[in-house]
Amino acid sequence: MTARPLNRLAASALAAVLVVGCAADGSGLTETGAGAALGTAGGAAAGAIIGSLSANAGRGALIGAVGGALVGTAVGAYMENQRKDFEAALADEIASGMISVQKLPNDQLLVRMTGATTFEIDSDRIQPGFYSTMDKISAIVKKYGKTELLISGHTDSTGSAQHNQLLSQRRAGAVQYYMEGDGVLPQRIIATGYGKNQPIASNETEAGRRLNRRVDITIVPITA
């Protein structure tokens, strides 16, 4: 296949995604109702082709794996509905301080899990009492499958930098492993440890260190 026909094929596939996306006004869409604006088969084809043409086959493969990317006004409505579902399902955990759900710029969400409830001190094993909460999180991210999950592990400043770095990586990996066991597509997940380098509170107090011992899940919409 010559370059010109391949480019035409990519453009046609992309056009199919955009036409489907423009067919919905995006207002008040649920994750099901937004289906008209999600380039499903067309999005998968366009993603694979465009990804290859732009030397970003990995990105194209991700779009294909989730059945196409979000487009247009569907993005904001999709993520807002997801936020509401998180807040409803995790109402008890949010009220107790175990979990926080935040809206970030660029239609992203942050689900934050405190180390005080998720892990024992200096441990990378998710506490059994937190399994039901993890299952709720997994259920929602499966329901809203057109997102990437950036899982980041963090520690307080106690101990060596190397120890904290490895511990944060293992904690992020434990959350990734649990979610994959719950049926979340591995292609959607990136797990990274940041050690003690991204505190959100002072490490001078136990209360601050408790906040810094955490795992964050940044949820990013997959867009064309």
Side-chain angles (χ1 to χ4, degrees):
M1 181 179 292
T2 64
R4 183 173 296 176
L6 184 58
N7 287 335
R8 186 180 299 117
L9 178 59
S12 298
L14 178 58
V17 180
L18 297 179
V19 167
V20 171
C22 292
D25 64 9
S27 60
L29 292 175
T30 64
E31 76 286 358
T32 301
L38 311 178
T40 306
I49 295 168
I50 295 168
S52 297
L53 290 175
S54 64
N56 189 10
R59 179 68 179 178
L62 173 62
I63 292 174
V66 302
L70 293 163
V71 294
T73 56
V75 179
Y78 190 87
M79 298 303 290
E80 178 64 11
N81 288 332
Q82 185 175 185
R83 182 188 65 80
K84 291 177 180 177
D85 278 6
F86 272 123
E87 291 183 346
L90 300 170
D92 292 341
E93 289 89 343
I94 293 171
S96 68
M98 294 170 61
I99 292 283
S100 68
V101 177
Q102 302 175 31
K103 187 175 181 179
L104 300 179
N106 301 316
D107 295 310
Q108 298 180 13
L109 298 176
L110 173 63
V111 177
R112 172 163 287 162
M113 299 177 280
T114 66
T117 54
T118 315
F119 300 96
E120 297 284 358
I121 293 177
D122 203 31
S123 171
D124 57 13
R125 295 184 61 186
I126 297 173
Q127 295 189 57
F130 203 72
Y131 289 171
S132 62
T133 301
M134 287 295 305
D135 292 339
K136 293 177 188 178
I137 294 172
S138 295
I140 294 172
V141 299
K142 285 192 296 182
K143 181 179 179 181
Y144 295 88
K146 296 179 184 294
T147 57
E148 290 181 276
L149 310 173
L150 310 181
I151 301 174
S152 58
H154 305 270
T155 70
D156 62 29
S157 62
T158 305
S160 70
Q162 181 181 16
H163 176 81
N164 285 325
Q165 179 62 35
L166 294 174
L167 177 60
S168 69
Q169 291 172 354
R170 293 197 305 271
R171 285 180 168 174
V175 173
Q176 175 185 15
Y177 182 79
Y178 191 100
M179 296 182 76
E180 289 178 359
D182 267 347
V184 180
L185 283 177
Q187 297 96 316
R188 296 174 57 198
I189 303 176
I190 299 174
T192 307
Y194 291 94
K196 61 182 181 179
N197 297 318
Q198 294 185 1
I200 59 173
S202 171
N203 279 303
E204 298 302 314
T205 66
E206 175 52 34
R209 290 191 292 271
R210 188 180 300 113
L211 291 173
N212 292 332
R213 297 192 295 265
R214 70 193 193 278
V215 172
D216 292 342
I217 304 176
T218 304
I219 304 173
V220 181
I222 299 173
T223 56

